[in-house]
């Protein structure tokens, strides 16, 4: 029996075959864990999207945030300070206009206030009609109301255009298209106002009284200034070649946008309908103020006086339209109105359309700046 039992040498394998050598049983420590040089980069690469370099100076971030908040607060308070300074500088005019408006007929003044708000709606329609892109109508209307306050700080309507351009840029409109829309807005507004003036001149025989306001043998100052500006622009574009390429590119973009706008009936209606409505609404507002103060002129004569005065000296770069106001007083007097009544009407019109909306307009402008809409 003992001869049939396996020998110890065959019962168990030799130690060399039973277990692998230590070198093969467990990986080397150099292979089990990666090298520190491979596990994490020793420095942050400039283009690494997974890692961001820590701030060099953590204390500088609160200081920069504080500086940005102060700058935003200064921009919000700047329109309010400008409005307050303008009111203080024009205390007699403000007092006289308010005194006469207090004694005026409130019904006609309320109608004039409603027409003033309708003018902002018409301006917003023209802005949207001049732009192929669609912007939010509520914010567009708010920007146009706030732009009226900025118009007192810059002459020639530049404040309205600056606010509108900033608004369009925040709404994602490209710079070339936004600038082209402002040019189309100005062109449509001027062309529509001239057309409405020609219609009133043809329908109202009282235009003959305006002949005494035109200088004999001399061109009006705005016509000379406009001709000189056009000539200077032509000389600059001809002589200075670096200006030619961006200007021609802008004109090309403006023409393309104008063609695209006029292929859409809704844009055409908004552009030209609003442009025609704006001078009519403004002239009707002046007629309402004149009726409240007992001006004694038919509304056709008042609207014609407004159109004639605005067209004659509208190109004069004066903040707040003071040149237009002076010409309007003379035009109303030429139609047979007493100078005192004409002055009171113009002051009341300016108080109702500019000075009364000035405070809410500046507050709205500050709110839009704080909300980063402008």
């Amino acid at each position: 029996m003992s001869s049939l039992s396996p020998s110890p040498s065959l019962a168990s394998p030799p130690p060399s075959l039973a277990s692998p050598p230590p070198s093969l049983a467990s990986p080397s420590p150099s292979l089990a864990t990666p090298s520190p040089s491979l596990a994490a980069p020793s420095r942050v690469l400039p283009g690494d999207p997974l890692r961001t370099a820590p701030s060099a100076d953590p204390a500088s971030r609160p200081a920069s945030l504080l500086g940005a908040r102060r700058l935003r607060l200064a921009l919000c308070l700047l329109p309010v300070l400008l409005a307050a300074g303008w009111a203080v500088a024009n205390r007699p005019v403000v007092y006289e206009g308010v005194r006469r408006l207090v004694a005026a007929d409130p019904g006609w003044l309320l109608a004039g206030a409603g027409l003033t708000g309708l003018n902002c709606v018409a301006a917003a329609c023209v802005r949207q009609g001049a732009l192929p892109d669609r912007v939010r109508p509520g914010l567009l209307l708010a920007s146009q109301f706030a732009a009226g306050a900025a118009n007192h700080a810059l002459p020639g309507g530049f404040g309205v255009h600056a606010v509108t351009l900033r608004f369009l840029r925040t709404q994602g409109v490209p710079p070339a298209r936004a600038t082209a829309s402002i040019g189309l807005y100005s062109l449509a507004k001027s062309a529509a106002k001239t057309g409405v003036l020609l219609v009133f001149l043809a329908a109202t025989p009282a235009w003959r009284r305006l002949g005494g306001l035109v200088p004999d043998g001399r061109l009006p100052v705005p016509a000379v200034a406009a001709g000189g500006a056009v000539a200077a622009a032509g000389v600059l574009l001809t002589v200075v070649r670096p200006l030619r390429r961006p200007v021609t590119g802008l004109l090309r973009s403006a023409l393309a946008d104008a063609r695209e706008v006029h292929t859409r009936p809704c844009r055409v209606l908004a552009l030209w309908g609003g442009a025609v409505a704006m001078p009519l609404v403004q002239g009707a507002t002046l007629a309402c103020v004149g009726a409240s103060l007992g001006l004694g002129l038919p509304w056709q004569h008042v609207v014609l006086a407004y159109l004639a005065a605005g067209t004659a000296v509208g190109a004069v770069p004066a903040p707040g339209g003071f040149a237009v106001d002076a010409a309007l007083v003379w035009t109303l007097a030429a139609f047979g109105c007493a100078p005192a009544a004409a002055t009171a009407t113009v002051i009341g019109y300016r108080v109702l359309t500019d000075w009364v909306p000035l405070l809410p307009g500046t507050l709205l402008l500050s709110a839009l700046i704080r909300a980063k809409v402008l």
Side-chain angles (χ1 to χ4, degrees), residues 73-145:
L73 181 61
L75 291 176
C76 293
L77 293 179
L78 181 60
V80 180
L81 295 178
L82 288 175
W86 186 89
V88 170
N90 297 271
R91 289 191 306 271
V93 177
V94 173
Y95 174 77
E96 182 66 19
V98 171
R99 187 183 69 82
R100 290 184 176 271
L101 284 177
V102 169
D105 187 358
W108 284 110
L109 292 180
L110 185 60
L115 291 173
T116 301
L118 189 60
N119 183 60
C120 294
V121 177
C125 290
V126 180
R127 295 288 186 185
Q128 180 60 85
L131 190 67
D133 305 272
R134 179 175 175 81
V135 296
R136 287 181 284 183
L139 291 180
L140 179 59
L141 180 60
S143 69
Q144 293 307 295
F145 185 76

Side-chain angles (χ1 to χ4, degrees), residues 287-305:
C288 289
V289 175
S292 68
L293 297 174
L295 185 62
L297 286 180
W299 68 270
Q300 300 92 338
H301 295 181
V302 177
V303 175
L304 178 59

